[in-house]
Amino acid sequence: MATERPLVLPGDVIPPSLIPTSANPNKKQQPLRLGPGLRHIPPSDIVPTVAGQLITVPHKNSMWVEYNSSRYTPTPSDLVIATISRSGPDFYYASLSPYTANATLPHLSFEGATKKTRPQLPPGSLVYARVTLANKHMDPEIECVSSATGKADGLGPLKDGMVFDISLGFARRLLMARSKEEGKVEVLELLGEEGLAFETAVGRNGKVWVSGASDAKGNEGVNAKTVVVVGRALQETDTKRLGVEQQRKLVKKLVREMR
Amino acid sequence: MTASTLPEAALGVLPRADGSAKYSHAGYTVTASVNGPIEAQRRDEHPYEAHVDVIVRPAAGVGGTRERHLESILQSSLTQIILVKNFPRSLIQVVLQVEDTPENDYVNTKLVQASLNFAIMPALFQTSVLALLSAGVPMRATAAATAVAVVPEDGAKKIVVDPSPRQIEIAQSVHVLAFTSQEELLLAESEGDFTVKEWDDVYETAQKICCRPASTKEGMEMVLDEEDAGGPDMRHFLRSTLESKVTADLHWK
Amino acid sequence: MPREAEPSLNEREFVLKALQENTRLDGRELDQYRPLELTFGDQYGVADVTLGKTRVLAKASAEVTVPYTDRPLDGIFNIATELSPMTSPAFEVNRPTETEVLISRLLEKTVRRSGALDTESLCLVAGQKCWSIRVDVHVLSHDGNLIDAACFAVVAALRHFRKPDTSMEGGVLTVYTPAEREPVPLSWLHSPFCITWSFFGEEGEIALLDATWLEEQVRVGSCTISLNKHGEICQIAKLGGTPVEAVALLQCTNVALSRAKDFSAFLDRKLAEDAKRRDKGGLLAELSAENDR
């Protein structure tokens, strides 16, 4: 694994010793894979384009620069929370981040949607969607249904609840399959242990949707206080970069204040 | 108040911008915000590359011709280092707000119609580069800039780095030079009368400041005698500023 | 320019719903301000104010000019507010938006027309020479409640500002450079502050202070009260929106007074701290050629 993580700036020369060569000579030579933040200038120069940590993984023969940008760049198969800005004849136009071009969401890319049964979404509605097409020359495209199975798999319009802005790096942590073990983010689990009932959806575009679940007696409706506590816990953990222990303290404090 | 001689910078000072930086050096303080890539207006849209929009705002008064001039110089040099081809049809907006300029204690300036001085250029340039780095906008290279004046002194001519307003007043020529981290000359603007020999000297001095080679031995304390070099070491300054920023940023990675 | 992003329907509904349960998104009380910070620059007359994520910079400057012919005994005093794209990419250079016009008007009414600055003291030679004082307001970051932050910054900048000293001898006017004589403060009469209430709900029954940008986008009306610590009201502006009960407004004014007192005390403290920082060795008192009024 990568042990050395040097800081690189745009235009720096990467020492050749850091560029992974085929680690396993028995296997077939894998081509070197360049991740974000690096560019290849033919014939053989590899130059960073952003300021960040250079990460190399020799056994996968890949390298990239780890950096934090506050503007979301759409990438295929990312899960995002989009706001519908208007509806066209065949598409909804949805905004992924402020001041950027709208993404298109076909009217029929919802579970079981036909021309007659498709969901009618007024401007300002929220959807949880997956990016299907992202290309620097075109506006991004998103969908709310898996094109392979025809199932929604949790995607679709988001009703009620509240959206909170978080940093892109933190959103990525929350989306990790095991965010507690690998991501050091326990705050949602802790809130659950305190007896709060809520559901969340995390978008890679730095948004998290939080909604209070209907309580045990089946009383519909969102408990605003619960949602605010969850949102604040997430935002504070993000901006103050809290560790697990501090997250525990924060959750205790917020829950105490609420009751 | 005494003007600080060493440059100071803070990144990410504006919470709502994609990237921002506050930089002060030689009495100048500039705050910059960078937003981008965002949607460009029709008239700025370019099918193959991003449009770089630079706006310079003086601390007092409204911007005039001089600010437009500074903007156009900055715009063309920043377009050179930003990888504009990565973001077709979009806009990268750099807004520079001047906060403080060194005051000339010997003259009462007409502040209301304040127009920016040429010597503020390095501060503007450096702040934009820092803000672009903080926004994570892909760039070809980093860059550093400095101002150098040729000041007559006791019959001889002396080369002064980061001249004070007083020195600019009596200087024969003022030069602003910027170099990329690959030691290429990115920007050279001059004002006043000077000879080719003088320009060569100015070039050498500026290059020394902007492109001092990295420390040769790792781990050894760098002996940086500021007096000896005649100016701050912009390259190391840039690196150390970003080092702390990157560590903080990558907490959630 | 790209348009400002509107909050989603979910956000609009939720903000209102939470307010009906007396809850704000950042956990503040309804009448609680975000942490207010003030720093002065190295020069005189530069005030940097942060209110949560809102940040405003005000810079005062002075020059000698010719007075207006219809007011030969008065100096000139101007407040310039321009929202740059730094505030938000939705603002364009040289194209004032409604927000910008409203802020300038309110600052004008609060600070200039309330006579906070004694413009007569700016006169140097009647009908011929006077000081022109100008305050430039730069909004660096916008997260709601620009008016209160901007007004505080303007007042702070003007009270911190020093103009060059002058003397009149035998009909000859001399303006001293800072190197010759220590600059002198402006003749300041009172410090007005803006306190903005935002109203929510169908009948505007929920009122809160220091709204964030999201709250501002959802509110049904707002009311800006400008007053000083003595409770003298300079202006009240309620520009359209849902009508609000008179009794409720009265209550709002009472709370505004206590906030204005807080602001005033905070500013006095900061100014004293700054004066101490500058006055190293207690030399300033000797350098000053100013008479106590």
Side-chain angles (χ1 to χ4, degrees):
Chain A
M1 278 308 282
T3 45
E4 209 182 349
R5 296 185 160 186
L7 167 85
V8 287
L9 294 184
D12 277 4
V13 177
I14 298 176
S17 60
L18 285 176
I19 297 174
T21 46
S22 187
N24 194 342
N26 304 332
K27 275 192 188 165
K28 216 173 79 186
Q29 174 104 21
Q30 269 187 326
L32 181 67
R33 291 161 66 95
L34 296 184
L38 291 172
R39 69 181 187 134
H40 173 222
I41 304 174
S44 59
D45 285 342
I46 294 167
V47 185
T49 59
V50 290
Q53 275 179 335
L54 181 71
I55 313 256
T56 46
V57 184
H59 68 265
K60 281 188 188 154
N61 217 12
S62 62
M63 60 195 293
W64 69 91
V65 178
E66 200 65 271
Y67 72 105
N68 199 2
S69 152
S70 47
R71 183 151 297 271
Y72 173 68
T73 323
T75 316
S77 81
D78 273 357
L79 293 174
V80 291
I81 293 175
T83 316
I84 305 286
S85 24
R86 61 196 168 89
S87 172
D90 294 315
F91 302 101
Y92 286 115
Y93 294 91
S95 145
L96 300 183
S97 56
Y99 317 119
T100 49
N102 281 330
T104 53
L105 169 64
H107 280 164
L108 296 183
S109 79
F110 292 89
E111 192 182 55
T114 63
K115 277 252 183 255
K116 281 181 182 157
T117 60
R118 69 178 175 90
Q120 299 286 338
L121 300 173
S125 311
L126 290 176
V127 289
Y128 197 35
R130 185 188 296 115
V131 178
T132 51
L133 180 108
N135 179 318
K136 65 178 177 181
H137 289 290
M138 291 165 71
D139 290 344
E141 244 178 70
I142 54 175
E143 61 175 13
C144 287
V145 63
S146 162
S147 46
T149 60
K151 287 273 190 303
D153 291 335
L155 301 181
L158 297 171
K159 296 255 163 55
D160 297 329
M162 178 66 199
V163 185
F164 296 91
D165 287 336
I166 50 173
S167 72
L168 299 188
F170 190 62
R172 208 182 74 154
R173 284 266 177 125
L174 285 174
L175 277 169
M176 278 182 180
R178 295 187 303 153
S179 65
K180 192 172 160 185
E181 290 81 8
E182 286 174 8
K184 302 272 179 290
V185 181
E186 248 190 272
V187 60
L188 290 178
E189 283 84 352
L190 292 169
L191 286 162
E193 281 167 24
E194 291 287 339
L196 301 188
F198 59 91
E199 45 182 335
T200 58
V202 183
R204 269 303 289 274
N205 52 343
K207 287 181 191 301
V208 54
W209 172 83
V210 182
S211 176
S214 47
D215 62 13
K217 289 168 201 146
N219 283 344
E220 275 298 319
V222 186
N223 184 349
K225 285 214 167 75
T226 312
V227 176
V228 170
V229 164
V230 176
R232 281 182 63 197
L234 284 171
Q235 283 183 326
E236 272 192 42
T237 309
D238 178 19
T239 51
K240 294 186 184 157
R241 307 195 169 100
L242 302 181
V244 175
E245 202 43 52
Q246 289 163 301
Q247 291 174 23
R248 206 160 280 167
K249 271 186 202 153
L250 172 75
V251 167
K252 285 250 156 63
K253 192 190 101 195
L254 287 174
V255 171
R256 200 176 334 115
E257 275 174 20
M258 185 183 89
R259 286 185 176 140
Chain B
M1 291 276 121
T2 48
S4 61
T5 44
L6 281 178
E8 271 175 48
L11 297 188
V13 287
L14 305 176
R16 294 180 72 87
D18 286 347
S20 55
K22 181 174 177 162
Y23 172 82
S24 36
H25 179 43
Y28 294 101
T29 305
V30 182
T31 298
S33 78
V34 168
N35 274 300
I38 55 175
E39 199 178 357
Q41 243 182 327
R42 242 333 127 63
R43 61 159 196 259
D44 295 333
E45 211 175 85
H46 189 291
Y48 297 111
E49 56 180 52
H51 175 77
V52 180
D53 194 9
V54 182
I55 296 157
V56 175
R57 293 168 53 83
V62 282
T65 322
R66 271 169 178 264
E67 281 75 21
R68 299 292 95 75
H69 178 219
L70 294 177
E71 281 169 12
S72 74
I73 297 172
L74 280 169
Q75 201 246 359
S76 56
S77 30
L78 290 179
T79 311
Q80 289 302 313
I81 54 169
I82 298 173
L83 291 166
V84 282
K85 293 254 179 347
N86 281 16
F87 306 105
R89 299 175 299 112
S90 60
L91 169 77
I92 294 171
Q93 195 172 48
V94 184
V95 188
L96 294 151
Q97 175 70 57
V98 180
E99 288 188 15
D100 249 351
T101 48
E103 253 171 58
N104 190 345
D105 275 353
Y106 298 91
V107 186
N108 275 314
T109 39
K110 271 195 146 279
L111 268 171
V112 173
Q113 279 311 314
S115 47
L116 291 174
N117 196 306
F118 205 54
I120 199 176
M121 200 62 196
L124 292 176
F125 187 83
Q126 213 63 63
T127 323
S128 357
V129 170
L130 286 169
L132 284 166
L133 285 169
S134 131
V137 173
M139 293 198 285
R140 210 179 295 280
T142 56
T146 191
V148 180
V150 181
V151 183
E153 202 179 76
D154 309 328
K157 281 171 187 167
K158 201 183 144 203
I159 288 180
V160 180
V161 180
D162 298 318
S164 69
R166 182 92 179 128
Q167 284 167 326
I168 289 169
E169 212 176 59
I170 54 169
Q172 287 189 333
S173 60
V174 183
H175 311 260
V176 175
L177 290 98
F179 293 86
T180 65
S181 50
Q182 283 129 1
E183 308 198 4
E184 297 154 338
L185 181 65
L186 182 66
L187 162 79
E189 290 281 331
S190 306
E191 220 175 24
D193 296 336
F194 54 93
T195 62
V196 175
K197 170 77 180 65
E198 276 168 18
W199 198 86
D200 283 345
D201 291 345
V202 165
Y203 177 84
E204 244 170 61
T205 318
Q207 199 183 21
K208 246 185 236 160
I209 290 168
C210 298
C211 320
R212 192 167 306 167
S215 58
T216 41
K217 271 182 194 165
E218 205 70 38
M220 211 179 85
E221 194 61 37
M222 281 189 308
V223 188
L224 276 180
D225 200 346
E226 300 294 343
E227 308 283 309
D228 178 46
D233 181 354
M234 292 314 297
R235 191 187 263 189
H236 290 129
F237 164 71
L238 214 66
R239 186 165 284 271
S240 59
T241 310
L242 280 154
E243 213 149 62
S244 49
K245 185 251 174 188
V246 166
T247 347
D249 259 11
L250 295 184
H251 185 267
W252 290 122
K253 284 285 172 180
Chain C
M1 280 292 119
R3 276 198 298 155
E4 195 66 59
E6 294 267 318
S8 63
L9 292 175
N10 306 46
E11 287 167 272
R12 282 176 183 280
E13 278 169 26
F14 185 82
V15 169
L16 197 59
K17 198 176 169 99
L19 283 176
Q20 278 157 354
E21 294 181 28
N22 260 335
T23 310
R24 284 174 90 167
L25 290 179
D26 40 15
R28 275 187 289 155
E29 298 295 322
L30 293 188
D31 61 351
Q32 193 184 352
Y33 266 78
R34 289 169 284 181
L36 178 72
E37 273 167 52
L38 166 69
T39 43
F40 293 108
D42 276 350
Q43 284 177 17
Y44 282 121
V46 181
D48 188 339
V49 171
T50 41
L51 191 61
K53 284 183 180 172
T54 296
R55 187 160 163 217
V56 181
L57 180 88
K59 187 187 163 72
S61 48
E63 78 168 343
V64 177
T65 184
V66 183
Y68 295 126
T69 41
D70 55 336
R71 321 216 53 173
L73 297 176
D74 277 353
I76 298 170
F77 174 40
N78 274 317
I79 303 174
T81 323
E82 204 188 329
L83 298 177
S84 70
M86 187 180 263
T87 316
S88 145
F91 293 117
E92 215 175 326
V93 185
N94 297 332
R95 189 175 294 176
T97 53
E98 199 186 76
T99 337
E100 188 179 319
V101 177
L102 285 182
I103 294 178
S104 330
R105 291 288 300 148
L106 269 170
L107 289 179
E108 182 97 357
K109 280 199 277 183
T110 306
V111 184
R112 203 167 81 98
R113 298 241 213 115
S114 77
L117 178 67
D118 177 16
T119 47
E120 277 179 30
S121 72
L122 298 175
C123 179
L124 295 167
V125 182
Q128 288 175 32
K129 287 274 178 263
C130 72
W131 281 110
S132 163
I133 306 289
R134 176 190 172 103
V135 188
D136 286 87
V137 180
H138 305 295
V139 179
L140 303 183
S141 174
H142 176 15
D143 190 25
N145 206 10
L146 280 186
I147 291 173
D148 295 11
C151 180
F152 188 76
V154 168
V155 171
L158 282 169
R159 285 187 56 184
H160 186 249
F161 184 62
R162 302 282 185 275
K163 67 178 193 310
D165 200 3
T166 52
S167 75
M168 235 356 226
E169 262 174 59
V172 181
L173 174 74
T174 321
V175 180
Y176 296 102
T177 61
E180 291 164 342
R181 266 197 202 179
E182 189 61 24
V184 293
L186 300 170
S187 158
W188 190 253
L189 300 179
H190 74 123
S191 301
F193 298 99
C194 287
I195 283 97
T196 304
W197 284 93
S198 300
F199 300 106
F200 296 82
E202 258 165 48
E203 284 161 19
E205 67 274 10
I206 305 165
L208 58 82
L209 279 174
D210 191 25
T212 61
W213 175 226
L214 178 62
E215 286 166 341
E216 278 189 5
Q217 284 172 306
V218 178
R219 71 185 175 193
V220 292
S222 73
C223 175
T224 303
I225 302 162
S226 310
L227 75 177
N228 59 21
K229 66 175 176 188
H230 308 296
E232 293 161 344
I233 292 180
C234 310
Q235 64 94 25
I236 296 184
K238 185 172 180 317
L239 309 161
T242 310
V244 177
E245 282 215 32
V247 183
L249 263 187
L250 220 55
Q251 178 59 30
C252 289
T253 336
N254 283 335
V255 179
L257 175 59
S258 77
R259 290 291 171 281
K261 281 180 180 160
D262 294 349
F263 280 161
S264 187
F266 178 70
L267 179 55
D268 287 346
R269 187 160 56 80
K270 282 285 174 184
L271 281 168
E273 273 172 25
D274 186 70
K276 216 172 190 178
R277 184 173 66 95
R278 281 165 193 277
D279 191 12
K280 287 200 186 97
L283 279 171
L284 272 191
E286 284 173 42
L287 285 170
S288 170
E290 177 206 7
N291 294 323
D292 285 328
R293 277 166 64 96

